[in-house]
Amino acid sequence: MLRMSSKSLYHPKQMFCVLVLTCFSLSINAQTDSNAELNAFVLKAYKSYQEKDQQTLFSLHSESSPYFARFKEMILADFSRRQNVTIKGMRVLAVKADVHADKATLRLTVDTDAWDIETGRKAEGFQQSDHTLYLVKEQGAWKLWRFTETAEEFSDLYLKAPDDERANLVARTKPMTNGFLRGLLEAGRGLLEDRGEDLHATEILELASRLAKESKDIESDAGALVGLGDVYLAQGDYIRAADNYQKVLTLAENLGSKEAIAAMSVKIGNLHYQQGNFAQAMQHYVRSVRLYEELGSKIEITYPLANLGNAYFALGNHEKALEHYQKILKIYEQLSSRSGAAWLRNQIADVYAAQEKNEPALAYYNLSLKAQEELGNKSAQAHSLYGIGRVKFKEGKYSEAVTLFARASMLARAGNSPEILWKNLNLLGQSHRALNENDQAQKVFGDSIAVIEKLRSQVAGSERDRELSFESKTAPYLEMVKLLIEGNDLAGAFLYAERAKGRMLLDVLRYGRADITRSMTAEERDKERNLNTSMTSISSQIRREIALPQPDQTKLANLEARLQQARLEYEAYETRIYAAHPELRIQRGDTQPLTLGEAERLLPDQQTALLEYVVAPEKTYLFVLTRGPGRNTSSGVGGGTGLAGDKNASALKLRVFSIPITSRELANRVTQFHQVLAGNSLGFKQLARQLYDLLLLPAQEELEGRTAVGIVPSNQLWELPFQALLSKRDRYVLQDHALFYAPSLSVLGEMRKKDARGPAGNLVSDSSSASILKVSAAATDTAPSLLAMGNPRLSASLVSRAQSNDRSISLGDLPEAEREVKDLGEIYGVKRSKILTGLAAQEETVKAEAGRYPVLHFATHGLLDDESPLYSRLLLATSSGNDDGFLEAREIMKLDLRANLAVLSACQTARGTIGPGEGLIGMSWAFFIAGTSTTVVSQWKVDSASTARLMVDFHRQLQSPKDHAGVSKAEALRQAALKLMSDPKYRHPFFWSGFVVVGNGMN
């Protein structure tokens, strides 16, 4: 007679006063005999329930009732679930009673004192309940005709009632007991999770929130907020979900409620999971499990444990995921949780499908589908059908797949489940393509992309959170590119190629970056400061331990784990701040990348070419944009030619080439070449020629005579030093072309606009060849121009900390770097430069003063964190306890920079994590987010002496007069590299090709 929920939405229950023996008190306006008989009936019914006396309990139910079989099934399942639970007492109080001759309706509140036999703790799932009993008299004795949860019955009536009758229905249901309000929350959860009816769930949960506020029931109001957050999460509205979860988590923490914090941790974990931040999701799930273990939970703990399986699966650990799923499935089956078991069967099927074990995958999908159809959950049905369709697609049964994906898409729309919907539409489009039904394919790819674009606008959290959310969603954009190229719509293909790149950067460049620090309250700033201090403190402990003659490796491992945990906690807190401050949500999601016509403005003359690569699983596409005599044209690999614009417009040329190589093979070749160059090894020339023939030879005609070439890489091509490839004439690419790289041409366009406005936001020049970095062109004799730091004095503890994971790292003195920055001071002028070396080259100074300078230069050691790229860092001196000398990429992102150029004359500063849909996430990305339009960064561990020469010559070229405009950054680096190459000592590409210009290299 009591229903247990497998998923808690609520705060801990306020404990009621419980009697040792079952008791009942009823006051009705009826005959005394009826009063006594009803009292006796209720006492006997609940006492038999307490004692698991099913024979007596069933004897009290009318056998002629159509509800008798369902009642028996419910009671038997309930008794089975609580085999390890003992009920010491129950308190049953009448709320309302309506008696008419041989019929009676009783509404009761029931408090149950239930204990877990194994743990000796209060049993889970026994909240105050609100029951309605419909009784009839048969042969002079009262019998139960129907038993209901009051809120469940009310919800059904409320949803069916016309709007003008709902208020009367609510009034007739009063008083609103705690049990009734909790029942409403459970009804809302059931509508969402069991039946996938998000709109109905919203109506019930919004009503519950209103009634809870009227009743001043804080717990139920919080539960309604969480339930609505779940609805928003299912709908892909991550911002509103995060807002609700954050409010309730704050309340739970203020109350010190472990149970509520555990429940909210798993909810926030789900939010991170849906947005693609699996590490953060894992951290929240683990926290939830730990808290539930401390509470002795055996039921609620299954929720975070099951979701831990999701995180393991997303991270590629299929065996661990399957282990979690199978374990929790048994528990859900024991609890008779049909919806939970059906959900888990879908998850298990996903694992088997990923392992290409099609037979068990299909078996589990079909089991889940059958259960979900009985439950009426459209979203879960769509998941099952998507899984079955995916198996059929891989088997080449495309017609069957089309039917399955079309049906799943319809259900996903009806269930308002955008995450499931875009995936179904993507594979539906691929199935149509396989059947040569290209018109249908183009339409559904477009529909899939429209869903994704809406999801982008609803992501909660920081720039990194929003970037991560898009990483897994680029597939339909690539499919559209391939489809349009095959149809010779090259302009359309180019547009979709751009829409799949640099999206987060484009949002920030167009609409500005949210300043999280200024929006925080004093309390929030204190909390952030404490989290930062915690990371710094743990780092200091690690440094001190490493400095010992015999460091304790066990202690070090523990400290490293604590540091990783502290980082995750900091990132989680940052996400909470974004959720708590709606003003931080910059406009995004509807940002339109540039069109082919707009791209024309990026080509200042006929000496410039722009190359954009799109790496798809089976082949790579190369878009080449140039200007030349004649009219605008576009031509594809098949030889077809079509107009890309009016015949009287300026002459923009677009060609697209198909490169027959899989993404895996391309990645292998690029990695091999990168390793050979980075290792200063001989025997690189064959690889250099092969990669040139593969990636540039198709466009050789278009590149002929072009002095400047901009490259938009894709995937592993970010790791490729194009400048070191060898042409058929046995010339390095750099000898013929000044190269620069950009995340997308749309981003490049915004960077050029920024540079045209100048550091102060004023228009400097609209000439495409004007050098904004030319000090005399944009500054007075005393205006600050250059901030340079070289050879900072690193403390012994900082060096030890940096070498803790890799003793081979050399972090010695850099005298060449010190001379390098001093030479730069002479080039830019003493009055316009600030040159800091040794102890003066401090992290604190960068944070305080970097925003004043148009040119930044760091000649120091750099360390790459390829697992967490935003923790990659430049090593600087420090003089305070607030900073540790590690200027991390995550800290750079928060600076307010106005620099047109940042030169990172350190090791591997061009490297990081490659994020599909964004590009390379690392130092350059952090400087771009902070406001810098161009970086010069290194692709491997560089030689100090040659680097110093290269950098000095680079800056000298930038400041040298050339037609009163200077040279572009890309040309300046080319000239410096050619000069270094001319020295036999530095002829190997290791020395001169390691640095690249990323961003606006055209100015």
Side-chain angles (χ1 to χ4, degrees):
M1 298 176 78
L2 293 175
R3 181 173 61 194
M4 291 190 291
S5 168
S6 63
K7 299 177 184 178
S8 175
L9 297 179
Y10 322 112
H11 285 289
K13 286 70 69 177
Q14 291 179 350
M15 296 312 298
F16 42 80
C17 177
V18 185
L19 302 181
V20 174
L21 298 176
T22 303
C23 64
F24 177 60
S25 174
L26 177 65
S27 176
I28 56 176
N29 295 322
Q31 297 176 354
T32 303
D33 290 345
S34 294
N35 192 338
E37 290 171 359
L38 289 169
N39 268 288
F41 177 89
V42 171
L43 182 64
K44 187 174 183 180
Y46 279 91
K47 193 172 189 303
S48 60
Y49 171 78
Q50 175 185 344
E51 296 173 351
K52 295 184 184 178
D53 182 356
Q54 64 186 50
Q55 183 176 353
T56 300
L57 192 56
F58 292 160
S59 72
L60 295 174
H61 203 293
S62 170
E63 294 185 9
S64 60
S65 167
Y67 305 104
F68 184 37
R70 176 71 187 96
F71 179 78
K72 289 176 67 176
E73 179 184 346
M74 179 186 70
I75 291 299
L76 290 173
D78 186 276
F79 284 179
S80 176
R81 282 196 301 265
R82 63 181 181 94
Q83 290 179 8
N84 293 320
V85 173
T86 181
I87 296 178
K88 296 183 178 180
M90 302 181 75
R91 185 175 69 168
V92 184
L93 298 175
V95 178
K96 286 184 178 180
D98 186 14
V99 182
H100 297 284
D102 59 352
K103 292 184 179 180
T105 302
L106 304 179
R107 181 178 164 197
L108 315 170
T109 62
V110 182
D111 291 326
T112 306
D113 185 19
W115 291 77
D116 189 298
I117 296 172
E118 292 182 353
T119 65
R121 302 188 185 193
K122 290 283 186 179
E124 298 172 87
F126 291 87
Q127 303 173 96
Q128 185 184 87
S129 302
D130 194 310
H131 299 161
T132 299
L133 278 58
Y134 294 92
L135 308 179
V136 295
K137 264 196 174 180
E138 293 181 353
Q139 299 177 351
W142 288 108
K143 295 284 185 176
L144 179 64
W145 184 258
R146 181 160 65 99
F147 167 86
T148 68
E149 298 275 359
T150 307
E152 185 175 353
E153 182 180 32
F154 168 85
S155 298
D156 290 339
L157 294 172
Y158 183 84
L159 292 172
K160 293 173 183 175
D163 290 344
D164 57 354
E165 292 183 15
R166 287 183 169 182
N168 290 331
L169 181 61
V170 171
R172 292 197 302 271
T173 308
K174 291 183 177 180
M176 300 303 171
T177 66
N178 288 343
F180 176 78
L181 290 174
R182 283 158 179 73
L184 272 187
L185 298 180
E186 183 66 13
R189 183 207 66 79
L191 286 166
L192 176 67
E193 296 184 10
D194 298 343
R195 293 158 59 179
E197 297 180 9
D198 59 302
L199 297 181
H200 283 161
T202 299
E203 290 185 84
I204 295 301
L205 291 166
E206 287 179 343
L207 174 65
S209 178
R210 177 168 62 83
L211 295 176
K213 285 182 172 67
E214 291 174 359
S215 302
K216 295 182 172 54
D217 187 335
I218 297 174
E219 292 180 29
S220 295
D221 190 22
L225 274 177
V226 177
L228 288 167
D230 291 344
V231 172
Y232 301 146
L233 186 69
Q235 294 173 340
D237 192 345
Y238 303 130
I239 291 175
R240 294 176 74 188
D243 192 25
N244 279 26
Y245 293 159
Q246 171 57 34
K247 288 176 181 175
V248 179
L249 179 60
T250 300
L251 177 61
E253 289 174 338
N254 290 340
L255 293 172
S257 169
K258 279 188 178 181
E259 185 177 358
I261 294 170
M264 293 316 305
S265 292
V266 73
K267 298 292 182 184
I268 294 172
N270 291 343
L271 173 69
H272 286 295
Y273 178 87
Q274 290 292 352
Q275 294 189 168
N277 194 337
F278 304 124
Q280 273 291 342
M282 181 85 75
Q283 189 249 348
H284 282 89
Y285 295 149
V286 169
R287 182 191 190 196
S288 179
V289 169
R290 177 175 54 78
L291 289 170
Y292 277 132
E293 285 176 342
E294 292 174 4
L295 291 164
S297 168
K298 294 193 296 186
I299 297 175
E300 301 297 347
I301 196 173
T302 61
Y303 191 26
L305 283 173
N307 283 284
L308 262 177
N310 290 347
Y312 282 122
F313 179 64
L315 294 170
N317 192 339
H318 295 165
E319 296 302 325
K320 196 76 172 175
L322 196 59
E323 177 187 327
H324 271 72
Y325 291 151
Q326 296 284 18
K327 179 180 178 181
I328 304 304
L329 178 60
K330 291 179 182 178
I331 297 173
Y332 279 2
E333 288 173 339
Q334 291 170 0
L335 294 172
S336 300
S337 174
R338 296 177 68 209
S339 61
W343 173 78
L344 271 171
R345 290 190 180 102
N346 264 339
Q347 309 308 111
I348 291 169
D350 285 344
V351 177
Y352 283 132
Q355 295 174 331
E356 298 186 351
K357 297 177 181 178
N358 291 350
E359 188 174 340
L362 288 173
Y364 273 95
Y365 281 134
N366 281 307
L367 279 172
S368 179
L369 179 61
K370 181 181 178 181
Q372 302 293 3
E373 286 174 338
E374 292 171 357
L375 290 166
N377 191 325
K378 295 181 177 64
S379 298
Q381 291 174 55
H383 183 165
S384 300
L385 289 167
Y386 170 72
I388 297 169
R390 195 169 42 175
V391 172
K392 299 298 181 183
F393 179 85
K394 289 181 179 179
E395 292 176 345
K397 299 175 181 178
Y398 302 121
S399 295
E400 289 184 55
V402 164
T403 302
L404 289 161
F405 290 136
R407 182 181 165 198
S409 298
M410 192 164 57
L411 286 165
R413 285 189 193 278
N416 204 359
S417 300
E419 287 285 354
I420 300 173
L421 178 58
W422 79 260
K423 294 175 183 177
N424 267 291
L425 291 170
N426 176 47
L427 281 183
L428 176 59
Q430 292 187 46
S431 301
H432 280 304
R433 278 200 71 209
L435 295 169
N436 294 317
E437 297 168 350
N438 288 348
D439 288 343
Q440 296 97 314
Q442 184 171 342
K443 180 183 182 305
V444 292
F445 284 143
D447 291 343
S448 179
I449 289 168
V451 175
I452 292 169
E453 291 295 322
K454 183 176 180 181
L455 284 171
R456 282 195 73 246
S457 70
Q458 299 173 154
V459 175
S462 66
E463 290 86 359
R464 177 62 166 155
D465 290 314
R466 299 198 293 274
E467 180 275 320
L468 281 171
S469 74
F470 190 56
E471 281 192 7
S472 63
K473 298 181 177 67
T474 58
Y477 297 82
L478 299 183
E479 292 295 332
M480 189 70 95
V481 168
K482 291 189 286 185
L483 183 64
L484 293 175
I485 288 175
E486 290 173 8
N488 206 34
D489 181 1
L490 304 188
F494 170 78
L495 178 63
Y496 280 100
E498 278 290 296
R499 293 182 75 180
K501 293 185 175 184
R503 296 300 301 275
M504 185 62 248
L505 275 179
L506 187 59
D507 287 338
V508 170
L509 288 168
R510 285 200 178 161
Y511 300 115
R513 180 191 55 171
D515 190 335
I516 185 171
T517 304
R518 292 181 183 177
S519 300
M520 294 165 76
T521 65
E523 183 180 355
E524 288 167 341
R525 280 194 291 272
D526 286 342
K527 175 70 171 176
E528 184 197 36
R529 191 179 302 111
N530 289 338
L531 289 170
N532 264 315
T533 300
S534 175
M535 287 189 286
T536 302
S537 173
I538 297 171
S539 293
S540 298
Q541 292 177 60
I542 293 173
R543 291 199 300 270
R544 287 196 297 270
E545 186 64 32
I546 292 171
L548 296 175
Q550 292 183 321
D552 185 332
Q553 296 303 319
T554 302
K555 184 177 181 181
L556 275 176
N558 179 56
L559 287 169
E560 289 288 356
R562 284 178 55 197
L563 179 60
Q564 181 63 22
Q565 180 69 19
R567 288 177 173 181
L568 288 170
E569 289 177 1
Y570 178 84
E571 292 167 13
Y573 184 72
E574 190 174 59
T575 300
R576 290 175 58 178
I577 294 300
Y578 276 96
H581 293 276
E583 69 274 12
L584 291 173
R585 301 165 192 164
I586 64 170
Q587 185 177 354
R588 57 187 181 273
D590 58 350
T591 307
Q592 292 299 313
L594 85 174
T595 63
L596 189 59
E598 292 168 334
E600 183 179 359
R601 292 197 288 271
L602 296 178
L603 292 167
D605 49 44
Q606 295 186 29
Q607 282 71 53
T608 302
L610 298 174
L611 311 184
E612 179 158 343
Y613 289 88
V614 175
V615 176
E618 299 304 321
K619 63 176 65 175
T620 290
Y621 297 97
L622 169 59
F623 292 80
V624 183
L625 282 79
T626 58
R627 298 185 71 167
R631 63 184 183 179
N632 286 12
T633 62
S634 61
S635 59
V637 292
T641 301
L643 292 180
D646 189 276
K647 66 180 181 179
N648 296 318
S650 59
L652 174 68
K653 309 287 184 179
L654 169 64
R655 292 205 66 187
V656 181
F657 300 91
S658 177
I659 301 172
I661 187 171
T662 66
S663 58
R664 179 174 297 181
E665 175 61 22
L666 180 60
N668 289 339
R669 291 199 197 182
V670 169
T671 300
Q672 184 182 7
F673 183 60
H674 185 279
Q675 289 174 345
V676 168
L677 286 193
N680 193 10
S681 302
L682 300 176
F684 66 88
K685 289 192 174 183
Q686 183 179 357
L687 290 170
R689 292 189 181 97
Q690 290 174 350
L691 285 167
Y692 179 92
D693 291 349
L694 182 71
L695 298 169
L696 293 177
L697 185 61
Q700 183 170 306
E701 181 182 340
E702 284 67 30
L703 294 178
E704 195 68 37
R706 313 291 177 183
T707 57
V709 177
I711 298 175
V712 178
S714 177
N715 294 11
Q716 202 65 29
L717 291 179
W718 276 103
E719 298 279 341
L720 178 64
F722 280 83
Q723 56 274 17
L725 301 185
L726 278 167
S727 70
K728 289 295 186 184
R729 293 177 293 177
D730 209 32
R731 289 175 61 83
Y732 292 110
V733 170
L734 190 74
Q735 291 178 290
D736 296 318
H737 310 287
L739 301 184
F740 63 94
Y741 300 79
S744 73
L745 294 183
S746 303
V747 168
L748 176 61
E750 294 301 320
M751 288 173 168
R752 293 196 67 202
K753 290 178 185 177
K754 177 185 179 299
D755 280 352
R757 290 190 294 268
N762 300 315
L763 186 65
V764 174
S765 171
D766 60 2
S767 169
S768 59
S769 61
S771 174
I772 300 169
L773 292 173
K774 192 74 169 67
V775 175
S776 60
T780 66
D781 286 343
T782 58
S785 177
L786 169 72
L787 174 63
M789 293 195 169
N791 193 25
R793 179 75 59 83
L794 306 181
S795 66
S797 59
L798 184 145
V799 171
S800 297
R801 169 75 180 100
Q803 294 176 329
S804 60
N805 295 320
D806 187 355
R807 285 287 183 179
S808 66
I809 296 174
S810 176
L811 299 176
D813 200 34
L814 297 171
E816 296 93 346
E818 187 164 341
R819 288 195 295 272
E820 174 184 327
V821 294
K822 289 179 178 178
D823 287 346
L824 298 188
E826 295 180 6
I827 293 172
Y828 283 82
V830 176
K831 292 182 179 180
R832 294 190 297 268
S833 305
K834 187 165 188 174
I835 309 300
L836 301 174
T837 63
L839 289 174
Q842 295 181 3
E843 180 183 2
E844 296 87 342
T845 305
V846 175
K847 292 178 177 179
E849 299 189 27
R852 299 172 51 221
Y853 294 87
V855 181
L856 304 173
H857 187 102
F858 298 89
T860 179
H861 289 293
L863 293 178
L864 169 70
D865 189 330
D866 49 9
E867 290 187 2
S868 301
L870 295 185
Y871 289 94
S872 296
R873 58 265 196 196
L874 300 173
L875 273 57
L876 299 168
T878 184
S879 63
S880 74
N882 295 326
D883 289 300
D884 56 8
F886 289 164
L887 180 60
E888 296 173 329
R890 69 176 183 91
E891 297 175 297
I892 293 168
M893 285 173 61
K894 296 178 181 179
L895 300 179
D896 186 13
L897 302 180
R898 294 171 176 80
N900 296 306
L901 175 65
V903 180
L904 309 185
S905 180
C907 295
Q908 304 187 94
T909 50
R911 305 192 67 194
T913 297
I914 297 168
E918 191 66 25
L920 195 70
I921 310 301
M923 279 289 178
S924 283
W925 194 76
F927 271 97
F928 292 152
I929 293 290
T932 303
S933 57
T934 311
T935 61
V936 173
V937 285
S938 61
Q939 293 186 300
W940 48 72
K941 296 178 181 179
V942 294
D943 173 72
S944 181
S946 61
T947 296
R949 286 181 54 178
L950 182 72
M951 292 294 104
V952 171
D953 283 335
F954 166 68
H955 282 279
R956 185 172 287 120
Q957 288 288 332
L958 280 178
Q959 294 304 309
S960 65
K962 183 179 180 182
D963 300 328
H964 306 290
V967 298
S968 70
K969 306 178 193 79
E971 180 60 26
L973 185 60
R974 173 177 174 269
Q975 292 294 337
L978 290 176
K979 184 175 179 181
L980 187 64
M981 187 197 306
S982 66
D983 186 335
K985 183 180 177 181
Y986 299 124
R987 190 164 294 164
H988 193 287
F990 166 79
F991 296 102
W992 53 261
S993 69
F995 282 90
V996 292
V997 176
V998 184
N1000 182 19
M1002 304 174 75
N1003 291 108

